[in-house]
Amino acid sequence: MPMSHPPNISRGNPLAIVAQWMTAKPWLAVLAATAITLAALGVALQIQPATGVQDMLADDQPSAMAFGKMIDRYALVDNLVILAELPASHSEADPDRLISFATRLEAALDREPFVAAVRFRPAADARAFIKDCVVPRGWDYLDSTGKDHLRKRLTREAMDAQFAQNKAMLAAPGPAAGQLARELIQDPLRLRDFLTHGGLSASGGFKTRPGVNATVSADGRAILIEVSGVKPASDLEFTAAFMPRIRHAVGMTLAIDSIIPELVIHYTGAYAIAEYSAGQTRADMTLSCMCSIALLIGCFLVVYRHPLAFPVLLLPVGMAIVWAFGLYAGFSGHLTPVTAVTGAVLAGLGIDYCVHFVAHHELERKRVFAHANTPDSVPTPALRRTAMIRSMTHVGPAITAACITSLLGFGAILTSQVRALREFATLGILGLAAALITALLVLPALLLALDNTRVTRRGLSATRISIAPAITRIARTPRPWLALTFMLVAAATLVVGFAAVQHGGLPVQIDRDLNALHPQPHPPLDAQNLLADRFGAAPDGLTLLVEADTPEHMLALAHKVQNRLSRPALQALGLGRVNGPASLLPNPATRHDVRPDPTHVVDQLRNAADAAGFNPAAFDDYATFLTQLLTPQPPLTFADVRRYPGVANLVLPKNQPEPTQGLVLITLDHPWRNADQRDAMIESVRQELNGLSGVTLTGISVLGYDTQKAIARGIGKLLGASLLGVLLWLILFFRHPGHVLLALGPALASIVLLLATLWLSGNAFNLINLIAVPLLVGIGVDDGIFLTTLYRQARKQGESLQHLRENLAASAHAIGMTSLTTALAFGSLYFTHVPAIKSLGLMVGVGVIGALFVSVCGLVPLLMLMHARHLSTSKRPA
């Protein structure tokens, strides 16, 4: 009679109780899991890509927080920039054709409801503001040096010299004499040019073609067109509809205008960057998952004999990934480039649990059938269920222990100050927990449901390729392999130590390129460099966020900032024009200084004109202007500036009539040639502004610099947190310090090998691949746990060397297979478009293979030698 239950089944074990409940009606359990998966899928599809730079930066970085405020509150960063240039075949400058194209495009976009404004000419608001506000109150806008110069220009000697120069210019022959005479009557002392020098630029700081009333490059071959949308670029649904409409309008304008040659069009700015980054983020999510699955399919087809091994094992993992994304969408809803590829990572990590469970289940299945004296071809449903429950009882704790170490690796990343990394860790934890649940609950039900069919009757784990024979040979000759591994790890340790001494700290190199966080190639970002090249402005710049409790205090603080930024030391480093709230309104602290007597100055003007042979009455209007210039007038306010939105929106926040914050925009005279120049400029500016509360330096370049420092600080913190968590868990699990070190050895050795490889190859850490360090601690320790557990069992039960060797060789299939799947899953990230994520896949893949090598060639021989010594010692007489 076949036995319905074999002996020693753990009826009181919690896992056995759960297994009995899940396997009572296996198809019902599978259908319930499928329903949950479909519901989670509906929630997961609501996740929106997060494309902002601030989503990838540290929360506690003042520059990142200031950049977030700038993105949210200022209109300056929310424009679409269209750069239209003549083709290379058109060698001559042709500004008229460029302006014609821009004019027709403006007319086409005027009918577009998604467009708020189109601008390709210098802002009329800027010219009007300078004419109406700056020039009449020019004295108030000048600093102390400018006022001293103005006093000198208003002396009789300076006036006589200027009128003599005017007279000589009028005497020169030429057709422009009439126009020159009108200009001299309007401004004989050239004060208007003097007063407007250094004010807000009407062309936005670009070098444009002289005499052309449009933002045309100095060489006459390109025009810049700015388009504002009715909603911000952060509204991805609006941006996804906005950009195709703009492209359609551009295409129609090019098609119907036969005069204009086929212009080359480039798009950049917030809308273009957001659209492209969002599209690439979704594409990377799909591509990484597909590549991961394709690599795993290839691996399973090569290793396993049964063609359905992979789909049966992958189904629970796929459910776990969908569950994780559904839960993640419920409280986050943002999909950064880092979290987008988590599915591919979870596919490789989660399938490991299924591989271990299936291999152990088929072993238990054979034992149960053999114990019941039942032929393999006619097992009863009760025996099948019994084998499944025993598998759950025996392998469940080991799989759970291995999962916990990986969870601790992801948990260490939760201590990161970068929101994107914390979200990656959160999604990873949810995914691994879900993978453990599906491996221990859904997979048993699925296998039991299929066990009644021919699909899995003879098992799924039969292999074509096994590394067990290689492990057996290594275990028989342990000393050479142990020596080889020791020398390799020792050499890597020397390299890391030398690098630490040479580097003066952590033996790591930091990637200074913030563009590594964006998909590459990235046409909108590349267009920014082209824009800088065409219009002669350095692509990088600096921005200061100035904040205070009242508008008056903010204005006073902005003046202090601009005064400090005008110091010669910064100019020598390449700091160029500075625009900000202090460019809009005069400094209230200088309103009551001593001015020249306007009556005396007007008299001197008339006398100088008369002495030079001019009619003094011709300059009556100019005399009125001088009187107004030198007479104190009611101060301007930010409300006056708001009447000129083209000026106010450059440096003042949107929807804030009485602003308590503003931007100070700093342009550069020339681009930085290297990161050292960038760092020197940033440190110098911060040093000059030291002590000014409420002033924060920000901008893309500053974020890159601060991120570089955050990475250097974060490596040690993440490594320490992951090591501490895993160490505590191993102490709790093994309760033996020596065995803890044995289990932890492969993970530590893999990190040393990885650091040495990175240093020798010249690769660097960035904000994304930094998480490879704690992940390797959590993932790499799994091999050590399985092998050390076998050694502990052999020692406790007094097993022979041959028995331990057979157990280690048998365990090699699961360890090798799980390491391979993990390496392939992370390796699939190499096919994404973000360089930082590519490097993450490469680093973890190298680290996992390194941990496998140390486990097989180092830990296995060491365990064999230790067990041999233990057996030898235990046989000696007391």
Side-chain angles (χ1 to χ4, degrees), residues 756-782:
T757 303
L758 290 177
W759 183 266
L760 294 175
S761 62
N763 289 309
F765 277 105
N766 54 51
L767 196 63
I768 305 303
N769 63 32
L770 170 67
I771 61 181
V773 175
L775 285 179
L776 282 177
V777 175
I779 297 173
V781 77
D782 291 351

PDB file of all heavy atoms in Angstrom, residues 756-782:
ATOM      1  N   ALA A 756      39.431  47.104  -7.592  1.00  0.00           N
ATOM      2  CA  ALA A 756      40.707  47.026  -8.310  1.00  0.00           C
ATOM      3  C   ALA A 756      40.487  47.072  -9.818  1.00  0.00           C
ATOM      4  O   ALA A 756      41.231  47.760 -10.549  1.00  0.00           O
ATOM      5  CB  ALA A 756      41.442  45.744  -7.918  1.00  0.00           C
ATOM      6  N   THR A 757      39.471  46.368 -10.298  1.00  0.00           N
ATOM      7  CA  THR A 757      39.173  46.378 -11.736  1.00  0.00           C
ATOM      8  C   THR A 757      38.791  47.774 -12.212  1.00  0.00           C
ATOM      9  O   THR A 757      39.244  48.234 -13.266  1.00  0.00           O
ATOM     10  CB  THR A 757      38.039  45.388 -12.044  1.00  0.00           C
ATOM     11  OG1 THR A 757      38.416  44.091 -11.592  1.00  0.00           O
ATOM     12  CG2 THR A 757      37.752  45.343 -13.531  1.00  0.00           C
ATOM     13  N   LEU A 758      37.970  48.461 -11.421  1.00  0.00           N
ATOM     14  CA  LEU A 758      37.563  49.814 -11.792  1.00  0.00           C
ATOM     15  C   LEU A 758      38.758  50.751 -11.850  1.00  0.00           C
ATOM     16  O   LEU A 758      38.884  51.574 -12.763  1.00  0.00           O
ATOM     17  CB  LEU A 758      36.528  50.340 -10.793  1.00  0.00           C
ATOM     18  CG  LEU A 758      35.144  49.698 -10.817  1.00  0.00           C
ATOM     19  CD1 LEU A 758      34.263  50.286  -9.731  1.00  0.00           C
ATOM     20  CD2 LEU A 758      34.495  49.889 -12.175  1.00  0.00           C
ATOM     21  N   TRP A 759      39.645  50.639 -10.873  1.00  0.00           N
ATOM     22  CA  TRP A 759      40.793  51.545 -10.837  1.00  0.00           C
ATOM     23  C   TRP A 759      41.737  51.282 -12.016  1.00  0.00           C
ATOM     24  O   TRP A 759      42.206  52.212 -12.676  1.00  0.00           O
ATOM     25  CB  TRP A 759      41.535  51.388  -9.518  1.00  0.00           C
ATOM     26  CG  TRP A 759      42.678  52.353  -9.385  1.00  0.00           C
ATOM     27  CD1 TRP A 759      43.991  52.137  -9.706  1.00  0.00           C
ATOM     28  CD2 TRP A 759      42.605  53.701  -8.926  1.00  0.00           C
ATOM     29  NE1 TRP A 759      44.731  53.257  -9.455  1.00  0.00           N
ATOM     30  CE2 TRP A 759      43.913  54.237  -8.982  1.00  0.00           C
ATOM     31  CE3 TRP A 759      41.565  54.499  -8.464  1.00  0.00           C
ATOM     32  CZ2 TRP A 759      44.199  55.539  -8.588  1.00  0.00           C
ATOM     33  CZ3 TRP A 759      41.851  55.799  -8.079  1.00  0.00           C
ATOM     34  CH2 TRP A 759      43.149  56.307  -8.143  1.00  0.00           C
ATOM     35  N   LEU A 760      42.001  50.017 -12.291  1.00  0.00           N
ATOM     36  CA  LEU A 760      42.916  49.675 -13.372  1.00  0.00           C
ATOM     37  C   LEU A 760      42.344  50.009 -14.745  1.00  0.00           C
ATOM     38  O   LEU A 760      43.076  50.387 -15.664  1.00  0.00           O
ATOM     39  CB  LEU A 760      43.280  48.187 -13.302  1.00  0.00           C
ATOM     40  CG  LEU A 760      44.095  47.755 -12.078  1.00  0.00           C
ATOM     41  CD1 LEU A 760      44.280  46.243 -12.067  1.00  0.00           C
ATOM     42  CD2 LEU A 760      45.448  48.458 -12.053  1.00  0.00           C
ATOM     43  N   SER A 761      41.021  49.886 -14.889  1.00  0.00           N
ATOM     44  CA  SER A 761      40.394  50.156 -16.191  1.00  0.00           C
ATOM     45  C   SER A 761      40.046  51.626 -16.386  1.00  0.00           C
ATOM     46  O   SER A 761      39.643  52.028 -17.482  1.00  0.00           O
ATOM     47  CB  SER A 761      39.124  49.310 -16.344  1.00  0.00           C
ATOM     48  OG  SER A 761      38.168  49.657 -15.349  1.00  0.00           O
ATOM     49  N   GLY A 762      40.170  52.416 -15.321  1.00  0.00           N
ATOM     50  CA  GLY A 762      39.874  53.846 -15.440  1.00  0.00           C
ATOM     51  C   GLY A 762      38.404  54.181 -15.355  1.00  0.00           C
ATOM     52  O   GLY A 762      38.033  55.336 -15.593  1.00  0.00           O
ATOM     53  N   ASN A 763      37.554  53.216 -15.037  1.00  0.00           N
ATOM     54  CA  ASN A 763      36.130  53.509 -14.878  1.00  0.00           C
ATOM     55  C   ASN A 763      35.883  54.209 -13.545  1.00  0.00           C
ATOM     56  O   ASN A 763      36.713  54.157 -12.637  1.00  0.00           O
ATOM     57  CB  ASN A 763      35.304  52.228 -14.954  1.00  0.00           C
ATOM     58  CG  ASN A 763      35.267  51.665 -16.361  1.00  0.00           C
ATOM     59  OD1 ASN A 763      34.960  52.378 -17.304  1.00  0.00           O
ATOM     60  ND2 ASN A 763      35.606  50.390 -16.503  1.00  0.00           N
ATOM     61  N   ALA A 764      34.745  54.856 -13.439  1.00  0.00           N
ATOM     62  CA  ALA A 764      34.475  55.688 -12.263  1.00  0.00           C
ATOM     63  C   ALA A 764      33.092  55.397 -11.719  1.00  0.00           C
ATOM     64  O   ALA A 764      32.215  54.860 -12.400  1.00  0.00           O
ATOM     65  CB  ALA A 764      34.603  57.169 -12.629  1.00  0.00           C
ATOM     66  N   PHE A 765      32.904  55.788 -10.457  1.00  0.00           N
ATOM     67  CA  PHE A 765      31.588  55.712  -9.831  1.00  0.00           C
ATOM     68  C   PHE A 765      30.787  56.966 -10.184  1.00  0.00           C
ATOM     69  O   PHE A 765      31.333  58.065 -10.295  1.00  0.00           O
ATOM     70  CB  PHE A 765      31.716  55.621  -8.308  1.00  0.00           C
ATOM     71  CG  PHE A 765      31.971  54.240  -7.803  1.00  0.00           C
ATOM     72  CD1 PHE A 765      33.225  53.864  -7.362  1.00  0.00           C
ATOM     73  CD2 PHE A 765      30.949  53.301  -7.760  1.00  0.00           C
ATOM     74  CE1 PHE A 765      33.457  52.580  -6.885  1.00  0.00           C
ATOM     75  CE2 PHE A 765      31.174  52.023  -7.293  1.00  0.00           C
ATOM     76  CZ  PHE A 765      32.430  51.660  -6.853  1.00  0.00           C
ATOM     77  N   ASN A 766      29.486  56.767 -10.355  1.00  0.00           N
ATOM     78  CA  ASN A 766      28.583  57.893 -10.516  1.00  0.00           C
ATOM     79  C   ASN A 766      27.400  57.701  -9.575  1.00  0.00           C
ATOM     80  O   ASN A 766      27.375  56.770  -8.773  1.00  0.00           O
ATOM     81  CB  ASN A 766      28.125  58.049 -11.980  1.00  0.00           C
ATOM     82  CG  ASN A 766      27.518  56.768 -12.525  1.00  0.00           C
ATOM     83  OD1 ASN A 766      26.637  56.175 -11.922  1.00  0.00           O
ATOM     84  ND2 ASN A 766      27.999  56.331 -13.685  1.00  0.00           N
ATOM     85  N   LEU A 767      26.426  58.569  -9.720  1.00  0.00           N
ATOM     86  CA  LEU A 767      25.312  58.552  -8.768  1.00  0.00           C
ATOM     87  C   LEU A 767      24.494  57.276  -8.843  1.00  0.00           C
ATOM     88  O   LEU A 767      23.833  56.901  -7.873  1.00  0.00           O
ATOM     89  CB  LEU A 767      24.405  59.759  -9.049  1.00  0.00           C
ATOM     90  CG  LEU A 767      23.408  60.136  -7.955  1.00  0.00           C
ATOM     91  CD1 LEU A 767      24.151  60.540  -6.697  1.00  0.00           C
ATOM     92  CD2 LEU A 767      22.507  61.257  -8.418  1.00  0.00           C
ATOM     93  N   ILE A 768      24.542  56.557  -9.969  1.00  0.00           N
ATOM     94  CA  ILE A 768      23.720  55.358 -10.148  1.00  0.00           C
ATOM     95  C   ILE A 768      24.506  54.096  -9.832  1.00  0.00           C
ATOM     96  O   ILE A 768      24.081  53.274  -9.018  1.00  0.00           O
ATOM     97  CB  ILE A 768      23.163  55.303 -11.581  1.00  0.00           C
ATOM     98  CG1 ILE A 768      22.392  56.587 -11.906  1.00  0.00           C
ATOM     99  CG2 ILE A 768      22.268  54.082 -11.752  1.00  0.00           C
ATOM    100  CD1 ILE A 768      21.265  56.885 -10.951  1.00  0.00           C
ATOM    101  N   ASN A 769      25.689  53.923 -10.465  1.00  0.00           N
ATOM    102  CA  ASN A 769      26.402  52.671 -10.234  1.00  0.00           C
ATOM    103  C   ASN A 769      26.977  52.572  -8.838  1.00  0.00           C
ATOM    104  O   ASN A 769      27.511  51.532  -8.446  1.00  0.00           O
ATOM    105  CB  ASN A 769      27.494  52.455 -11.286  1.00  0.00           C
ATOM    106  CG  ASN A 769      28.578  53.523 -11.248  1.00  0.00           C
ATOM    107  OD1 ASN A 769      28.909  54.085 -10.205  1.00  0.00           O
ATOM    108  ND2 ASN A 769      29.153  53.809 -12.413  1.00  0.00           N
ATOM    109  N   LEU A 770      26.869  53.655  -8.059  1.00  0.00           N
ATOM    110  CA  LEU A 770      27.274  53.620  -6.659  1.00  0.00           C
ATOM    111  C   LEU A 770      26.549  52.520  -5.889  1.00  0.00           C
ATOM    112  O   LEU A 770      27.103  51.918  -4.961  1.00  0.00           O
ATOM    113  CB  LEU A 770      26.979  54.992  -6.038  1.00  0.00           C
ATOM    114  CG  LEU A 770      27.098  55.146  -4.524  1.00  0.00           C
ATOM    115  CD1 LEU A 770      28.539  54.986  -4.098  1.00  0.00           C
ATOM    116  CD2 LEU A 770      26.576  56.504  -4.094  1.00  0.00           C
ATOM    117  N   ILE A 771      25.303  52.235  -6.269  1.00  0.00           N
ATOM    118  CA  ILE A 771      24.521  51.245  -5.518  1.00  0.00           C
ATOM    119  C   ILE A 771      24.993  49.821  -5.785  1.00  0.00           C
ATOM    120  O   ILE A 771      24.505  48.890  -5.138  1.00  0.00           O
ATOM    121  CB  ILE A 771      23.022  51.364  -5.851  1.00  0.00           C
ATOM    122  CG1 ILE A 771      22.780  51.115  -7.345  1.00  0.00           C
ATOM    123  CG2 ILE A 771      22.491  52.716  -5.460  1.00  0.00           C
ATOM    124  CD1 ILE A 771      21.318  51.233  -7.734  1.00  0.00           C
ATOM    125  N   ALA A 772      25.949  49.647  -6.717  1.00  0.00           N
ATOM    126  CA  ALA A 772      26.489  48.305  -6.932  1.00  0.00           C
ATOM    127  C   ALA A 772      27.179  47.788  -5.679  1.00  0.00           C
ATOM    128  O   ALA A 772      27.194  46.574  -5.419  1.00  0.00           O
ATOM    129  CB  ALA A 772      27.479  48.326  -8.104  1.00  0.00           C
ATOM    130  N   VAL A 773      27.757  48.691  -4.867  1.00  0.00           N
ATOM    131  CA  VAL A 773      28.516  48.268  -3.684  1.00  0.00           C
ATOM    132  C   VAL A 773      27.613  47.580  -2.659  1.00  0.00           C
ATOM    133  O   VAL A 773      27.871  46.431  -2.273  1.00  0.00           O
ATOM    134  CB  VAL A 773      29.261  49.472  -3.084  1.00  0.00           C
ATOM    135  CG1 VAL A 773      29.954  49.071  -1.794  1.00  0.00           C
ATOM    136  CG2 VAL A 773      30.280  50.015  -4.080  1.00  0.00           C
ATOM    137  N   PRO A 774      26.542  48.238  -2.172  1.00  0.00           N
ATOM    138  CA  PRO A 774      25.693  47.522  -1.208  1.00  0.00           C
ATOM    139  C   PRO A 774      24.958  46.339  -1.813  1.00  0.00           C
ATOM    140  O   PRO A 774      24.695  45.349  -1.111  1.00  0.00           O
ATOM    141  CB  PRO A 774      24.713  48.608  -0.738  1.00  0.00           C
ATOM    142  CG  PRO A 774      24.692  49.612  -1.818  1.00  0.00           C
ATOM    143  CD  PRO A 774      26.077  49.619  -2.383  1.00  0.00           C
ATOM    144  N   LEU A 775      24.626  46.405  -3.087  1.00  0.00           N
ATOM    145  CA  LEU A 775      23.954  45.271  -3.703  1.00  0.00           C
ATOM    146  C   LEU A 775      24.853  44.038  -3.719  1.00  0.00           C
ATOM    147  O   LEU A 775      24.386  42.912  -3.490  1.00  0.00           O
ATOM    148  CB  LEU A 775      23.531  45.625  -5.133  1.00  0.00           C
ATOM    149  CG  LEU A 775      22.324  46.556  -5.283  1.00  0.00           C
ATOM    150  CD1 LEU A 775      22.044  46.818  -6.751  1.00  0.00           C
ATOM    151  CD2 LEU A 775      21.091  45.965  -4.617  1.00  0.00           C
ATOM    152  N   LEU A 776      26.137  44.241  -3.997  1.00  0.00           N
ATOM    153  CA  LEU A 776      27.053  43.103  -4.025  1.00  0.00           C
ATOM    154  C   LEU A 776      27.195  42.467  -2.646  1.00  0.00           C
ATOM    155  O   LEU A 776      27.367  41.245  -2.531  1.00  0.00           O
ATOM    156  CB  LEU A 776      28.424  43.545  -4.541  1.00  0.00           C
ATOM    157  CG  LEU A 776      28.534  43.723  -6.052  1.00  0.00           C
ATOM    158  CD1 LEU A 776      29.913  44.232  -6.436  1.00  0.00           C
ATOM    159  CD2 LEU A 776      28.244  42.415  -6.769  1.00  0.00           C
ATOM    160  N   VAL A 777      27.142  43.286  -1.608  1.00  0.00           N
ATOM    161  CA  VAL A 777      27.208  42.722  -0.260  1.00  0.00           C
ATOM    162  C   VAL A 777      26.000  41.822  -0.018  1.00  0.00           C
ATOM    163  O   VAL A 777      26.124  40.701   0.500  1.00  0.00           O
ATOM    164  CB  VAL A 777      27.275  43.842   0.791  1.00  0.00           C
ATOM    165  CG1 VAL A 777      27.220  43.255   2.198  1.00  0.00           C
ATOM    166  CG2 VAL A 777      28.549  44.653   0.620  1.00  0.00           C
ATOM    167  N   GLY A 778      24.805  42.301  -0.398  1.00  0.00           N
ATOM    168  CA  GLY A 778      23.594  41.522  -0.154  1.00  0.00           C
ATOM    169  C   GLY A 778      23.461  40.325  -1.064  1.00  0.00           C
ATOM    170  O   GLY A 778      23.010  39.257  -0.636  1.00  0.00           O
ATOM    171  N   ILE A 779      23.861  40.475  -2.344  1.00  0.00           N
ATOM    172  CA  ILE A 779      23.700  39.382  -3.303  1.00  0.00           C
ATOM    173  C   ILE A 779      24.858  38.398  -3.218  1.00  0.00           C
ATOM    174  O   ILE A 779      24.680  37.184  -3.258  1.00  0.00           O
ATOM    175  CB  ILE A 779      23.584  39.950  -4.733  1.00  0.00           C
ATOM    176  CG1 ILE A 779      22.328  40.825  -4.852  1.00  0.00           C
ATOM    177  CG2 ILE A 779      23.544  38.835  -5.762  1.00  0.00           C
ATOM    178  CD1 ILE A 779      22.231  41.565  -6.166  1.00  0.00           C
ATOM    179  N   GLY A 780      26.093  38.939  -3.101  1.00  0.00           N
ATOM    180  CA  GLY A 780      27.274  38.072  -3.119  1.00  0.00           C
ATOM    181  C   GLY A 780      27.393  37.165  -1.928  1.00  0.00           C
ATOM    182  O   GLY A 780      28.057  36.114  -2.000  1.00  0.00           O
ATOM    183  N   VAL A 781      26.765  37.507  -0.818  1.00  0.00           N
ATOM    184  CA  VAL A 781      26.889  36.683   0.378  1.00  0.00           C
ATOM    185  C   VAL A 781      26.044  35.411   0.290  1.00  0.00           C
ATOM    186  O   VAL A 781      26.255  34.469   1.065  1.00  0.00           O
ATOM    187  CB  VAL A 781      26.490  37.513   1.627  1.00  0.00           C
ATOM    188  CG1 VAL A 781      24.976  37.635   1.736  1.00  0.00           C
ATOM    189  CG2 VAL A 781      27.084  36.934   2.898  1.00  0.00           C
ATOM    190  N   ASP A 782      25.107  35.342  -0.661  1.00  0.00           N
ATOM    191  CA  ASP A 782      24.237  34.158  -0.757  1.00  0.00           C
ATOM    192  C   ASP A 782      25.052  32.895  -1.020  1.00  0.00           C
ATOM    193  O   ASP A 782      24.776  31.832  -0.431  1.00  0.00           O
ATOM    194  CB  ASP A 782      23.211  34.356  -1.874  1.00  0.00           C
ATOM    195  CG  ASP A 782      22.185  35.426  -1.532  1.00  0.00           C
ATOM    196  OD1 ASP A 782      22.182  35.884  -0.374  1.00  0.00           O
ATOM    197  OD2 ASP A 782      21.412  35.810  -2.420  1.00  0.00           O
TER     198      ASP A 782
END
